[in-house]
Amino acid sequence: MATFKAGLVGVTGYAGMELARLLAGHEQIELVRATSRSDAGKTLCELYPSLTGTCLSELVITQPDPDDLAQACDIVFMAVPHGTAMDMAAKLLSRNVRVVDLSADFRLRDADIYAQWYGLEHREPQLIEDAVFGLPELYADKIKDAKLIANPGCYPTSAILGLYPALKAGIVETDGIVIDSKSGTTGAGRGANVGSLFCEVSDSFRAYNLGKHRHTPEIEQELSAISGEDLKISFNTHLLPINRGILSTSYTRLKKNLQLEDIFGLYSEVYSTAPWVRVLKRGTLPETRWVRGTMYCDIGLVVDPRTNRLIVVSAIDNLCRGASGQALANANLMLGLELSTGLNLAPLVP
Amino acid sequence: MATFKAGLVGVTGYAGMELARLLAGHEQIELVRATSRSDAGKTLCELYPSLTGTCLSELVITQPDPDDLAQACDIVFMAVPHGTAMDMAAKLLSRNVRVVDLSADFRLRDADIYAQWYGLEHREPQLIEDAVFGLPELYADKIKDAKLIANPGCYPTSAILGLYPALKAGIVETDGIVIDSKSGTTGAGRGANVGSLFCEVSDSFRAYNLGKHRHTPEIEQELSAISGEDLKISFNTHLLPINRGILSTSYTRLKKNLQLEDIFGLYSEVYSTAPWVRVLKRGTLPETRWVRGTMYCDIGLVVDPRTNRLIVVSAIDNLCRGASGQALANANLMLGLELSTGLNLAPLVP
Amino acid sequence: MATFKAGLVGVTGYAGMELARLLAGHEQIELVRATSRSDAGKTLCELYPSLTGTCLSELVITQPDPDDLAQACDIVFMAVPHGTAMDMAAKLLSRNVRVVDLSADFRLRDADIYAQWYGLEHREPQLIEDAVFGLPELYADKIKDAKLIANPGCYPTSAILGLYPALKAGIVETDGIVIDSKSGTTGAGRGANVGSLFCEVSDSFRAYNLGKHRHTPEIEQELSAISGEDLKISFNTHLLPINRGILSTSYTRLKKNLQLEDIFGLYSEVYSTAPWVRVLKRGTLPETRWVRGTMYCDIGLVVDPRTNRLIVVSAIDNLCRGASGQALANANLMLGLELSTGLNLAPLVP
Amino acid sequence: MATFKAGLVGVTGYAGMELARLLAGHEQIELVRATSRSDAGKTLCELYPSLTGTCLSELVITQPDPDDLAQACDIVFMAVPHGTAMDMAAKLLSRNVRVVDLSADFRLRDADIYAQWYGLEHREPQLIEDAVFGLPELYADKIKDAKLIANPGCYPTSAILGLYPALKAGIVETDGIVIDSKSGTTGAGRGANVGSLFCEVSDSFRAYNLGKHRHTPEIEQELSAISGEDLKISFNTHLLPINRGILSTSYTRLKKNLQLEDIFGLYSEVYSTAPWVRVLKRGTLPETRWVRGTMYCDIGLVVDPRTNRLIVVSAIDNLCRGASGQALANANLMLGLELSTGLNLAPLVP
């Protein structure tokens, strides 16, 4: 029944691992290439024993080769660091292969802002214009026609989905927004760094990159587009001793007094056709475990009358919704499949 | 497409929660009743917000009522404590409803041994004979014809699958076997006990019930049946600060010198048609995360020539394979479905 | 060498457990009474095997009895819930025993605000005026002369110490402050609640009590006193899957452009004589593990020029600095001992 | 009051970190040198912010230099990997500096066995005879006179203390002993390896090195010396998702029927003068948290009459008792100080 063939460049990181997990259960996209510079030659089950016995078990990892990928694949997922994705993406696009880029290389519409935040010049700026920001709730129609998807960052996915209805409806002030985000440790990647060791993370909690996380311009770009104003946000990140999950607490000021019920109604309306955004009932706040392993974005709403603030709590699985699952959803749309093909997953709780 | 209707007695525990997760993704068995004495009246998504938006979201929890269950259901899963399951099971069976009992009430063939280890007299001993021990790798044929399944305990599932090929082939001594098992904390249940609090379990490890765990006679019963000898084992349990997973390290003595390759071949042969038992390659030992959320039982084999021992390491997800997933596999067989319907799950790693 | 005798009312919670740990190593205060309604009759080492072999090992837990406590003790620590502490405190004070109350009963200067946030009338309002808020960095002189200490809440300790220098110096706006706090699970207490079970907390993260946590008025009271203005803050709490630790991220707006170095100098100056407040060097942000088991409050400072915000990150051990250790520091001062007696602890990392 | 000066070679690993923590609170041994090839030039508080404000905060890390160490130090702790410790130890001893070697280089009396298990020839075999195995409960007298201490391994410390009374009294068979050990992840070291990342260890459990862990000959050497017989044990290790702690479950067969009370009496008698070995009361089994951060070795005893086994559970903190704390205890004895100087620590629970 598989009708499309996919490649995965960069299988050794957590995004690659997650994409392999999801593709092992996808009946219409077959993973035919998985590449890695360091692990080429191994089978997937040697790299990830968890995949033993699945349909991907014996797939042999190869060196990344654009010609080979172009010949073998209808679509290629790029799960490599920013800066290295853009070159391969350009090569694949020139060979008429669809690309879903999980790195940051094509997310920012302005190459100068990219250069400023990522510290390197963009080498394929002409591709930026064609790239579609792959957030299905906002851009499904464009995604269907895209050849190149800039898959959103994990933090931006949680923040944008959380603030979208409020900013679109114009019920909150656009200045002074604070987003306090907390991410599980898969967000730090699978590189062998002392700071990511179990004994450096476990039973602890820390802030990092306050005021200067690279996802800031991505969030500002999208929230500005939504609100029609040039927004500046205070975006700040923390590291959680959990594997998966991002929870963002966003602080806004209401323009006028609104009841929680009204805002709940607004959010429910905006997301009425979005299969994965769950606006939780009054009094229920998200927990990262409730979205574990899935595409859900859970949203909790609080109105604080003492300070006249709307506080929005949004939670996603940073690996699935915030990276590989969203990439697969984009691929589904690009390939003419149902958005949720292979992605109707029940959260693993506990 | 759903062709069978199921009930779940005892939805508030972890086994009930897991069964709900699995049934939310099962296309041929529909959950039509979920009961709980304490939470009747709530919808499932109020009890478990993780199920919001799934097909089970709005199912209203009811009080357990055998007449109602019998009328509404083709099959009922009993996820209540031992001692309370047997009465309801009898009532349901008398109304011609198939029953999968996740408690220990029908696992032991000998009611006296049940009384001795569980501290209460069996009230439905006449049903014991008809009950089938629901371990598909050993008893698939009987399961297909059963009306009452005694769903195996979590520890026994890991221990029996780990030792089955060696004992069946007679390559190890039957006396002196030591099974050192470690379980995740879902195994302690969802009751509100101080000993199960996060701060009593986290960042710690302990042994419990050494030499007297109630799963001991269940393991001995099955291993004795396999080996044809009356076995006594030393079975000992520990509590892990993880959510899911059991890893059992079983120590046996080889009757004669055997190479690891031979034993690997034996195990692979025995489990060649078992979709979920993965005999890991030489040098690879199981990790509980590799089976997380799935039906897999991963087996690692070590021959220690210094002590002439065969050490078998077997890992399962105690909630899925060790309880609710196995219950669902048994239901599949009883209902004439494919064994693995709704259970082809890729492990959630990390 | 022990010269003072202490009682502990409520030994079974985490604050009681922590106080026992600290008193086991305190050479000038001897714990002579530990009370518990539920565990009276046991020795301390039966309740807490970790204390086996310490000087407190064989202390027999008693029922709480004000006459007995008054006769035996120079000072009594109240580690019982709010609402129940005030009565016992009054009885002990009338018997001329010094009291350190770890509950919230005497923290708020205004009995009406107490009634409003805690939902019950204060039964000993005449004692409120004499109670001293036991934060040594702010009130050491008053603490020395106090008979009744209102030991600060855990969250307020982190928030107040983090914002004190900035508000005192008037460099930040007093409106619009957001405090986003995250606490370890000991903060939820040692009660047997499903929501605090290992498998409900582990590998997850959640917000709770947004905009309505009871520590809000306590923080506002103290920050208002510091700044000389009637402050309203947005105070919001989250639950971390760690045992100990609070990290508060406080968002303020600078009144004028200030360099980080200037603010660092201000904070260092203000805390130059405070042995436990560590203003971390530029670029270093606190981690809860760095203060684990100690009295330290680590402060990290960030100036975000894009949004003209001063972000203050403050971390404490919620059990030691945020409760029992601070209670002991207050007792030291009340009894004429050195502030840090028995409290010169090196953080347990990892 | 500090009367002795100490050096620490290898401060960047977890053993070095722990030794720094302990020396920060030791009043008679002053750390005057801390060396590291990779971090020389930093202060200790830059490497470990947790030490900020302690007496060690501003100590500048140096390159390891035997001449400098010999000139500055009365005693040197070697916290470097096996194979590299022996050379430096020899140089320091030749300069009349006492050495406590935390590596395995001098633990095995037989250089051939060292070569066989560690895969390299011993380069200082003449020093082996003078080295004393630094387990105070067994060898306190020799330690007092030693110039070179072979600090025991973490696993051996737990296993030997657990089995010592039983083997010394001859109540258990010397063949067929199985030791199933579980260690926290600090035991894997502070090296940047993918396998030690938070997301590879957290919420999981695995076995490793079954039958071939390098601590095997060390345990066999000591247990053989105790029992007077040439023992072979089956020693097997597992990795726990906790920071600190080892729990060893040792399976032995009783030579004759003995009551638990008798064995409890034997153990209590043997350890009656050992300040840190706690033989727990009947029915109480060790938990690693009860010894966290301390020198305690907790022992739980179980007699299983069904299999006639004595099961011994022993728990230590692998970093403190199993490495750095034990090293410091040895240093205390070598320097003529009280054994427990600086080591009377109450466990950090939770």
Side-chain angles (χ1 to χ4, degrees):
Chain A
M1 181 157 85
T3 45
F4 299 100
K5 294 186 187 305
L8 164 54
V9 176
V11 70
T12 54
Y14 286 125
M17 186 194 290
E18 175 74 346
L19 205 39
R21 174 182 81 94
L22 294 169
L23 287 168
H26 196 294
E27 297 186 343
Q28 293 183 265
I29 300 179
E30 181 189 0
L31 185 67
V32 297
R33 288 291 183 280
T35 80
S36 160
R37 295 199 183 279
S38 56
D39 288 301
K42 292 182 187 170
T43 60
L44 263 188
C45 75
E46 283 170 344
L47 180 63
Y48 300 131
S50 58
L51 293 176
T52 303
T54 69
C55 59
L56 301 181
S57 187
E58 301 304 319
L59 183 65
V60 178
I61 299 167
T62 57
Q63 290 286 346
D65 173 347
D67 290 322
D68 175 59
L69 287 161
Q71 189 169 32
C73 305
D74 300 301
I75 194 164
V76 170
F77 299 94
M78 306 288 308
V80 291
H82 71 268
T84 62
M86 60 176 86
D87 303 315
M88 177 67 90
K91 288 176 188 165
L92 292 168
L93 287 165
S94 74
R95 287 163 175 80
N96 285 315
V97 181
R98 291 177 185 84
V99 171
V100 180
D101 177 18
L102 284 81
S103 88
D105 278 355
F106 297 100
R107 294 178 194 157
L108 300 177
R109 317 300 306 161
D110 184 332
D112 290 341
I113 293 180
Y114 179 87
Q116 174 188 330
W117 284 84
Y118 287 88
L120 80 168
E121 291 300 311
H122 207 290
R123 294 186 298 273
E124 304 287 348
Q126 78 291 351
L127 292 176
I128 293 177
E129 196 175 349
D130 297 333
V132 175
F133 192 74
L135 196 57
E137 284 80 0
L138 275 71
Y139 300 114
D141 286 344
K142 288 187 180 172
I143 294 166
K144 287 175 186 167
D145 297 328
K147 299 297 181 198
L148 171 59
I149 293 291
N151 210 55
C154 48
Y155 286 119
T157 298
S158 72
I160 297 165
L161 290 175
L163 292 171
Y164 172 53
L167 285 170
K168 190 182 173 200
I171 62 171
V172 296
E173 304 288 353
T174 51
D175 69 312
I177 294 175
V178 170
I179 304 173
D180 187 293
S181 289
K182 304 87 177 172
S183 172
T185 302
T186 45
R190 201 157 168 261
N193 301 308
V194 169
S196 301
L197 293 180
F198 179 85
C199 297
E200 305 289 314
V201 172
S202 173
D203 203 37
S204 191
F205 181 69
R206 64 179 188 250
Y208 72 99
N209 274 359
L210 297 188
K212 56 185 183 186
H213 195 286
R214 284 167 167 169
H215 286 171
T216 305
E218 184 179 338
I219 299 171
E220 290 183 342
Q221 166 184 291
E222 296 302 315
L223 296 187
S224 295
I226 292 165
S227 67
E229 294 182 43
D230 196 25
L231 281 181
K232 285 247 176 304
I233 55 158
S234 176
F235 171 63
N236 306 285
T237 50
H238 304 73
L239 185 72
L240 287 167
I242 66 175
N243 287 326
R244 291 165 176 258
I246 282 178
L247 189 140
S248 293
T249 314
S250 298
Y251 299 95
T252 70
R253 287 169 299 135
L254 285 165
K255 287 186 181 167
K256 56 178 182 178
N257 283 339
L258 283 174
Q259 300 299 310
L260 180 56
E261 287 313 310
D262 300 329
I263 301 171
F264 178 82
L266 166 68
Y267 270 70
S268 299
E269 170 72 20
V270 168
Y271 288 126
S272 60
T273 61
W276 294 314
V277 180
R278 305 190 292 194
V279 185
L280 301 181
K281 291 179 185 162
R282 180 179 183 140
T284 304
L285 293 174
E287 311 192 10
T288 60
R289 61 183 179 140
W290 292 344
V291 300
R292 189 187 290 135
T294 75
M295 290 297 291
Y296 290 119
C297 175
D298 282 3
I299 293 178
L301 300 167
V302 173
V303 170
D304 178 7
R306 296 176 67 257
T307 58
N308 201 33
R309 286 186 180 277
L310 168 66
I311 307 174
V312 183
V313 183
S314 50
I316 63 166
D317 181 315
N318 62 304
L319 270 193
C320 188
R321 178 56 190 250
S324 307
Q326 190 144 268
L328 194 48
N330 285 317
N332 284 341
L333 291 178
M334 294 166 87
L335 296 171
L337 302 173
E338 280 294 310
L339 171 66
S340 60
T341 310
L343 292 169
N344 280 323
L345 305 158
L348 191 76
V349 183
Chain B
M1 178 155 93
T3 43
F4 298 100
K5 295 186 186 306
L8 164 54
V9 177
V11 72
T12 54
Y14 286 124
M17 186 193 292
E18 175 74 348
L19 204 41
R21 174 181 81 94
L22 294 169
L23 287 168
H26 196 293
E27 298 186 343
Q28 293 184 264
I29 300 178
E30 181 189 359
L31 185 67
V32 296
R33 289 290 183 281
T35 80
S36 161
R37 296 197 182 280
S38 57
D39 288 302
K42 293 182 186 168
T43 60
L44 263 188
C45 75
E46 284 170 343
L47 180 63
Y48 300 131
S50 58
L51 293 176
T52 303
T54 68
C55 58
L56 301 180
S57 187
E58 301 306 318
L59 183 65
V60 177
I61 300 168
T62 56
Q63 291 285 347
D65 172 347
D67 289 323
D68 174 60
L69 286 162
Q71 190 169 31
C73 304
D74 300 303
I75 192 164
V76 171
F77 299 94
M78 306 289 307
V80 291
H82 71 266
T84 63
M86 61 176 85
D87 303 316
M88 176 67 89
K91 289 176 188 165
L92 292 169
L93 288 165
S94 73
R95 287 160 174 80
N96 285 315
V97 181
R98 290 177 185 85
V99 172
V100 179
D101 177 18
L102 283 82
S103 88
D105 279 356
F106 297 101
R107 294 179 193 156
L108 300 177
R109 319 299 308 160
D110 184 332
D112 290 341
I113 293 180
Y114 179 86
Q116 173 189 329
W117 283 83
Y118 286 87
L120 80 168
E121 290 301 311
H122 207 291
R123 293 186 298 274
E124 304 287 347
Q126 78 291 352
L127 292 177
I128 293 177
E129 196 175 350
D130 297 333
V132 174
F133 192 74
L135 196 57
E137 284 80 1
L138 275 72
Y139 301 113
D141 286 344
K142 288 187 180 172
I143 293 165
K144 287 174 186 168
D145 297 329
K147 301 295 181 197
L148 171 60
I149 293 292
N151 210 54
C154 48
Y155 285 120
T157 297
S158 73
I160 296 165
L161 290 175
L163 291 171
Y164 171 53
L167 285 169
K168 190 180 172 201
I171 62 171
V172 296
E173 303 288 351
T174 50
D175 69 313
I177 293 174
V178 170
I179 304 173
D180 186 293
S181 289
K182 303 88 177 173
S183 173
T185 303
T186 45
R190 202 157 168 263
N193 302 308
V194 169
S196 301
L197 292 180
F198 179 85
C199 297
E200 306 290 313
V201 172
S202 173
D203 203 39
S204 191
F205 181 70
R206 63 178 189 251
Y208 71 101
N209 274 357
L210 298 187
K212 56 187 182 185
H213 194 287
R214 283 167 167 169
H215 286 172
T216 305
E218 184 180 338
I219 299 172
E220 290 183 342
Q221 166 184 291
E222 295 302 315
L223 295 187
S224 294
I226 292 165
S227 67
E229 293 182 43
D230 196 25
L231 280 183
K232 286 247 176 300
I233 54 159
S234 174
F235 171 63
N236 307 285
T237 51
H238 304 73
L239 185 72
L240 285 168
I242 66 175
N243 287 326
R244 292 164 176 259
I246 283 178
L247 189 140
S248 293
T249 314
S250 298
Y251 299 95
T252 70
R253 287 170 298 135
L254 285 164
K255 285 186 182 167
K256 57 178 180 177
N257 283 340
L258 281 173
Q259 299 301 308
L260 179 56
E261 287 313 309
D262 300 328
I263 300 170
F264 177 82
L266 165 67
Y267 270 69
S268 300
E269 171 73 20
V270 167
Y271 289 126
S272 61
T273 60
W276 293 315
V277 180
R278 305 190 292 195
V279 185
L280 300 181
K281 290 178 186 164
R282 178 179 185 140
T284 305
L285 293 174
E287 310 192 10
T288 60
R289 61 182 178 142
W290 292 344
V291 300
R292 188 187 290 136
T294 74
M295 290 297 291
Y296 290 119
C297 175
D298 282 2
I299 294 178
L301 300 166
V302 173
V303 170
D304 179 7
R306 296 176 65 258
T307 59
N308 201 31
R309 286 186 179 276
L310 168 66
I311 307 174
V312 182
V313 183
S314 50
I316 62 167
D317 180 315
N318 61 305
L319 271 193
C320 189
R321 179 55 190 249
S324 306
Q326 190 145 269
L328 194 48
N330 285 316
N332 284 341
L333 291 179
M334 293 167 88
L335 296 170
L337 302 173
E338 278 295 309
L339 170 66
S340 59
T341 309
L343 293 169
N344 279 323
L345 306 158
L348 191 75
V349 182
Chain C
M1 181 156 86
T3 43
F4 298 100
K5 294 186 187 306
L8 164 54
V9 176
V11 70
T12 54
Y14 286 125
M17 186 194 290
E18 176 74 347
L19 205 40
R21 174 181 81 94
L22 294 169
L23 286 168
H26 196 294
E27 297 187 343
Q28 293 182 264
I29 300 179
E30 182 189 359
L31 185 68
V32 298
R33 289 290 183 282
T35 80
S36 160
R37 296 197 182 280
S38 57
D39 288 302
K42 292 183 187 169
T43 60
L44 264 187
C45 76
E46 283 170 344
L47 180 63
Y48 299 131
S50 57
L51 293 176
T52 303
T54 68
C55 59
L56 300 181
S57 186
E58 300 306 318
L59 183 65
V60 178
I61 299 167
T62 56
Q63 290 286 346
D65 173 347
D67 289 323
D68 175 59
L69 287 162
Q71 189 169 33
C73 303
D74 300 302
I75 193 164
V76 170
F77 299 95
M78 306 288 308
V80 291
H82 71 268
T84 63
M86 59 176 89
D87 302 317
M88 177 66 90
K91 289 177 187 164
L92 292 168
L93 287 166
S94 73
R95 287 162 175 80
N96 285 314
V97 181
R98 291 178 186 84
V99 171
V100 180
D101 177 17
L102 284 82
S103 89
D105 279 355
F106 297 100
R107 293 178 195 157
L108 300 177
R109 318 300 307 160
D110 184 331
D112 290 342
I113 294 180
Y114 179 85
Q116 174 188 331
W117 284 85
Y118 287 88
L120 80 168
E121 291 300 310
H122 207 290
R123 292 186 300 274
E124 304 287 347
Q126 78 291 351
L127 291 177
I128 293 177
E129 197 175 349
D130 297 333
V132 174
F133 192 74
L135 196 57
E137 284 79 2
L138 276 70
Y139 301 113
D141 287 343
K142 289 188 180 173
I143 294 166
K144 287 174 185 166
D145 296 328
K147 299 295 180 199
L148 171 59
I149 292 292
N151 210 56
C154 47
Y155 284 120
T157 297
S158 72
I160 297 165
L161 290 175
L163 291 171
Y164 172 52
L167 285 170
K168 190 182 173 200
I171 62 172
V172 296
E173 303 288 352
T174 50
D175 69 312
I177 293 175
V178 170
I179 305 173
D180 186 292
S181 290
K182 304 87 177 171
S183 172
T185 303
T186 45
R190 202 158 168 263
N193 302 309
V194 169
S196 300
L197 292 180
F198 179 85
C199 296
E200 305 289 313
V201 172
S202 172
D203 203 38
S204 191
F205 181 69
R206 63 179 189 249
Y208 71 100
N209 274 0
L210 297 189
K212 56 185 183 187
H213 195 285
R214 285 167 166 169
H215 285 172
T216 305
E218 183 179 339
I219 299 172
E220 290 183 344
Q221 165 183 290
E222 295 302 316
L223 296 187
S224 294
I226 292 165
S227 66
E229 294 181 42
D230 196 24
L231 281 182
K232 285 246 177 303
I233 54 159
S234 175
F235 171 63
N236 307 285
T237 50
H238 304 73
L239 186 72
L240 286 167
I242 66 175
N243 286 325
R244 292 164 176 258
I246 281 178
L247 189 140
S248 293
T249 314
S250 297
Y251 298 95
T252 70
R253 287 170 299 135
L254 285 165
K255 286 185 182 167
K256 56 178 182 178
N257 283 339
L258 282 174
Q259 300 300 308
L260 179 56
E261 286 313 309
D262 300 327
I263 301 171
F264 178 82
L266 166 68
Y267 270 71
S268 299
E269 171 72 20
V270 168
Y271 288 126
S272 60
T273 60
W276 294 315
V277 180
R278 305 190 291 196
V279 184
L280 300 182
K281 290 179 186 162
R282 180 179 182 139
T284 305
L285 293 174
E287 310 192 10
T288 60
R289 61 183 179 141
W290 291 344
V291 300
R292 189 187 289 135
T294 75
M295 290 297 291
Y296 289 119
C297 175
D298 282 3
I299 294 177
L301 300 167
V302 173
V303 171
D304 178 5
R306 296 176 66 257
T307 59
N308 201 33
R309 286 186 179 278
L310 168 66
I311 307 174
V312 183
V313 183
S314 50
I316 62 167
D317 181 315
N318 62 305
L319 270 193
C320 187
R321 178 57 189 251
S324 307
Q326 190 145 269
L328 194 48
N330 285 317
N332 283 340
L333 291 178
M334 293 167 88
L335 296 171
L337 302 173
E338 279 294 310
L339 171 66
S340 60
T341 310
L343 293 169
N344 280 322
L345 306 158
L348 191 76
V349 183
Chain D
M1 178 155 91
T3 44
F4 298 100
K5 295 185 186 307
L8 165 53
V9 177
V11 70
T12 54
Y14 286 125
M17 186 193 291
E18 175 75 347
L19 204 40
R21 173 181 81 93
L22 294 169
L23 286 169
H26 196 294
E27 298 186 343
Q28 294 184 264
I29 301 179
E30 181 189 0
L31 185 67
V32 297
R33 287 292 182 282
T35 81
S36 161
R37 295 197 182 280
S38 56
D39 288 302
K42 293 182 185 168
T43 59
L44 263 187
C45 74
E46 283 170 344
L47 181 63
Y48 300 130
S50 58
L51 293 177
T52 303
T54 69
C55 59
L56 300 180
S57 187
E58 301 305 318
L59 183 65
V60 177
I61 300 168
T62 56
Q63 291 285 347
D65 173 348
D67 289 323
D68 175 60
L69 287 161
Q71 190 169 32
C73 304
D74 300 303
I75 192 164
V76 170
F77 299 94
M78 306 289 308
V80 291
H82 71 267
T84 64
M86 61 176 85
D87 303 315
M88 177 68 89
K91 288 177 188 166
L92 292 168
L93 288 165
S94 74
R95 287 163 175 80
N96 285 315
V97 181
R98 289 177 186 86
V99 171
V100 180
D101 178 17
L102 284 81
S103 88
D105 278 356
F106 297 101
R107 294 178 193 157
L108 300 177
R109 319 299 307 160
D110 184 332
D112 289 343
I113 293 180
Y114 179 86
Q116 174 189 331
W117 284 83
Y118 287 87
L120 79 168
E121 290 300 311
H122 207 291
R123 294 186 298 274
E124 305 287 348
Q126 78 291 351
L127 291 176
I128 293 177
E129 196 175 349
D130 297 333
V132 175
F133 192 74
L135 196 57
E137 284 80 0
L138 276 71
Y139 300 114
D141 287 343
K142 288 187 181 173
I143 293 166
K144 287 174 186 168
D145 297 329
K147 300 296 181 196
L148 171 60
I149 293 292
N151 210 54
C154 48
Y155 285 119
T157 298
S158 72
I160 296 165
L161 290 175
L163 291 171
Y164 172 52
L167 285 169
K168 190 182 171 200
I171 62 172
V172 296
E173 303 288 352
T174 51
D175 70 313
I177 293 174
V178 170
I179 304 173
D180 187 292
S181 290
K182 303 89 176 172
S183 172
T185 303
T186 46
R190 201 157 169 263
N193 301 309
V194 169
S196 301
L197 292 179
F198 179 85
C199 297
E200 305 290 313
V201 172
S202 172
D203 203 37
S204 191
F205 181 69
R206 63 178 188 252
Y208 71 100
N209 274 358
L210 298 188
K212 56 186 181 184
H213 195 286
R214 283 168 167 169
H215 285 171
T216 306
E218 184 180 337
I219 299 171
E220 290 183 342
Q221 167 184 291
E222 296 301 317
L223 296 186
S224 294
I226 291 165
S227 67
E229 293 182 43
D230 197 24
L231 280 182
K232 285 246 176 304
I233 54 158
S234 175
F235 171 64
N236 307 286
T237 50
H238 304 73
L239 185 72
L240 286 168
I242 67 175
N243 287 326
R244 290 165 177 259
I246 282 178
L247 189 140
S248 293
T249 314
S250 297
Y251 299 94
T252 69
R253 288 169 297 135
L254 286 164
K255 285 186 181 167
K256 57 177 180 178
N257 283 341
L258 281 174
Q259 299 300 308
L260 179 55
E261 287 313 309
D262 300 328
I263 301 171
F264 178 82
L266 165 67
Y267 270 68
S268 300
E269 171 73 19
V270 168
Y271 287 126
S272 60
T273 61
W276 293 316
V277 180
R278 305 191 291 195
V279 185
L280 301 181
K281 290 177 185 164
R282 178 178 184 142
T284 305
L285 293 174
E287 310 192 10
T288 59
R289 61 182 180 142
W290 291 345
V291 300
R292 189 187 290 135
T294 75
M295 291 296 291
Y296 290 119
C297 175
D298 282 3
I299 294 177
L301 299 167
V302 173
V303 170
D304 179 7
R306 297 175 66 256
T307 59
N308 202 31
R309 286 187 180 276
L310 168 66
I311 307 174
V312 182
V313 183
S314 49
I316 62 167
D317 181 314
N318 61 304
L319 271 192
C320 188
R321 178 57 189 250
S324 306
Q326 190 144 270
L328 194 47
N330 285 316
N332 283 341
L333 291 178
M334 293 166 87
L335 295 170
L337 302 173
E338 279 294 310
L339 170 66
S340 59
T341 309
L343 293 169
N344 280 324
L345 306 158
L348 191 75
V349 182

